[in-house]
């Protein structure tokens, strides 16, 4: 609903909607509810599409201590610890995620990125709360999108973008294609990119998105 309120506020009649990770799930949910407003749906490394397998814990056993910790932390939002850390939160981000600084080292040689990540995540949680309410252990969607994607308006084209080196399951694109046989569905793999496709291979990613925008125009 907040996406729809934003659309009305800026006066867009129809739009190309792109979402990454949780944003892909939300973009698909919006497209299901407001199909007349979406020209093209671009799902980048989308979260929450497949169902949790019945044998998920057998294939990748969860250690007892992680289950216990999960039970203790279940009432809290995922990043509550960062907010509780107060002024020590920034050094916590720097220590736990040094990869952020390395990834953007060509643009920043200081702690700009860590500070940005920190300040984004110590705000009052909204998307974080939503994510917690939409998941079941351990990080699977409560209402998987693949169960609903066949109900989407057949005239909405979908492009699924994955990083070839990502740990996210890239099979959702072909599954969407099988569930929407009479609609446009295309899957693109960006070579050399992981989950953060737009940061790992920005030129290639931007070119692919621009091609989609040009085709819609």
């Amino acid at each position: 609903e907040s996406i729809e309120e934003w659309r009305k506020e800026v006066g867009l009649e129809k739009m190309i909607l792109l979402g990454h990770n949780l944003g892909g799930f939300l973009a698909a949910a919006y497209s299901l509810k407001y199909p007349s407003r979406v020209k093209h749906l671009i799902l980048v490394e989308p979260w929450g599409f497949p169902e949790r397998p019945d044998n998920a814990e057998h294939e990748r056993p969860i250690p007892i201590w992680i289950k216990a910790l999960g039970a203790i932390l279940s009432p809290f939002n995922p990043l509550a610890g960062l907010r509780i850390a107060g002024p020590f939160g920034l050094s916590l981000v720097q220590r736990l995620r040094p990869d952020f600084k390395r990834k953007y080292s060509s643009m920043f040689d200081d702690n700009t990125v860590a500070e940005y990540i920190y300040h984004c995540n110590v705000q009052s949680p909204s998307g974080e709360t939503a994510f917690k309410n939409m998941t079941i252990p351990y990080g699977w969607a409560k209402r998987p999108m693949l169960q609903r994607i066949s109900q989407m308006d057949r005239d909405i084209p979908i492009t699924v973008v994955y990083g070839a080196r990502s740990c996210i399951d890239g099979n959702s694109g072909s599954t969407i294609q099988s569930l929407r046989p009479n609609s446009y569905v295309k899957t693109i793999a960006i070579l050399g990119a992981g989950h953060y496709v737009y940061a790992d291979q920005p030129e290639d990613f931007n070119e692919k998105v621009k091609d989609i925008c040009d085709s819609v125009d």
Side-chain angles (χ1 to χ4, degrees):
E1 290 306 315
S2 59
I3 299 174
E4 175 60 7
E5 289 172 17
W6 171 83
R7 182 201 64 78
K8 290 176 182 176
E9 186 67 26
V10 298
L12 287 172
E13 283 302 310
K14 295 192 78 169
M15 56 189 167
I16 299 167
L17 195 56
L18 182 153
H20 171 258
N21 202 15
L22 173 61
F25 185 90
L26 297 175
Y30 176 88
S31 302
L32 277 165
K33 190 163 186 178
Y34 298 101
S36 64
R37 302 302 182 187
V38 180
K39 286 181 178 179
H40 197 116
L41 177 61
I42 307 174
L43 305 171
V44 184
E45 288 275 312
W47 169 85
F49 276 65
E51 298 179 52
R52 179 186 175 182
D54 293 333
N55 62 345
E57 287 197 40
H58 297 295
E59 287 187 358
R60 187 180 295 177
I62 309 295
I64 296 294
W65 71 269
I66 291 184
K67 289 184 179 180
L69 188 62
I72 294 168
L73 297 177
S74 61
F76 303 98
N77 280 324
L79 293 171
L82 191 62
R83 287 181 284 278
I84 292 170
F88 301 104
L90 177 57
S91 62
L92 200 62
V93 173
Q94 292 168 341
R95 190 173 298 121
L96 295 176
R97 295 303 303 267
D99 56 307
F100 284 137
K101 186 171 183 177
R102 288 196 301 269
K103 190 184 292 287
Y104 297 98
S105 59
S106 62
M107 290 179 278
F108 304 102
D109 57 6
D110 55 14
N111 292 317
T112 296
V113 176
E115 289 174 7
Y116 173 76
I117 296 292
Y118 168 72
H119 285 292
C120 282
N121 287 301
V122 292
Q123 304 298 318
S124 178
S126 54
E128 188 183 332
T129 302
F131 179 74
K132 178 179 178 292
N133 291 334
M134 290 192 297
T135 59
I136 56 174
Y138 292 86
W140 296 87
K142 194 178 288 183
R143 297 184 62 211
M145 190 54 67
L146 288 180
Q147 293 178 351
R148 296 177 277 161
I149 200 80
S150 61
Q151 301 164 24
M152 189 176 292
D153 189 314
R154 59 180 291 179
D155 293 331
I156 296 179
I158 298 178
T159 300
V160 186
V161 181
Y162 283 102
R165 299 166 71 179
S166 172
C167 59
I168 297 288
D169 182 8
N171 293 324
S172 289
S174 56
T175 307
I176 294 170
Q177 204 158 17
S178 66
L179 293 170
R180 306 182 78 229
N182 300 315
S183 302
Y184 178 93
V185 179
K186 183 177 182 179
T187 300
I188 297 173
I190 304 289
L191 298 178
H195 181 57
Y196 299 97
V197 190
Y198 48 85
D200 292 339
Q201 296 292 338
E203 291 183 7
D204 197 3
F205 175 78
N206 290 341
E207 183 183 342
K208 296 291 191 299
V209 173
K210 185 177 183 300
D211 287 344
I212 294 168
C213 294
D214 291 342
S215 71
V216 171
D217 290 342

